[in-house]
Amino acid sequence: MNTPHILVVDDEKEITDLIEIYLTQEGYQVEKRYNAFTLMNDILEYHIDLVILDIMMPEIDGIHALFVKNIMCLLLLFQPKLLILIKLKDY
């Protein structure tokens, strides 16, 4: 069985580092990004299974990145600032 691969996208380094520590301790592979500009490329290149995406980021926010990159996913809103995305379609 392959280890699930998670992409964490947040402009606050401390948050991404904390999420990475927790997820790697649970056995997941984790990639971190500090902006959403490369979201689609990262999903394809690293065969991402799940994206944890900050909604409020400078330059391009999480919601806008989804529409610009045409990412098909299920959005789970946990707090006013955090989205968890589950990819529904392979690209």
Side-chain angles (χ1 to χ4, degrees), residues 65-78:
L66 296 177
F67 290 111
V68 169
K69 302 295 185 181
N70 197 23
I71 296 172
M72 184 173 285
C73 60
L74 173 65
L75 305 176
L76 304 173
L77 183 59
F78 283 101

Side-chain angles (χ1 to χ4, degrees), residues 10-22:
D10 196 313
D11 58 309
E12 296 182 44
K13 185 179 183 319
E14 297 80 16
I15 291 174
T16 55
D17 290 346
L18 184 62
I19 293 171
E20 177 189 34
I21 290 167
Y22 177 76

Side-chain angles (χ1 to χ4, degrees), residues 50 52-53 55 75-86:
L50 176 76
I52 300 175
L53 177 63
I55 294 173
L75 305 176
L76 304 173
L77 183 59
F78 283 101
Q79 292 182 356
K81 195 175 178 287
L82 178 69
L83 278 178
I84 298 209
L85 311 176
I86 301 171

Side-chain angles (χ1 to χ4, degrees), residues 1 4 6 10-11 18 27 32-33 36-37 44 47-48 50 72 77 83 88-89 91:
M1 183 175 152
I6 300 174
D10 196 313
D11 58 309
L18 184 62
K32 298 184 298 185
R33 298 296 176 270
F37 287 116
L44 293 172
H47 306 287
I48 299 298
L50 176 76
M72 184 173 285
L77 183 59
L83 278 178
L88 298 178
K89 178 181 173 185
Y91 295 92

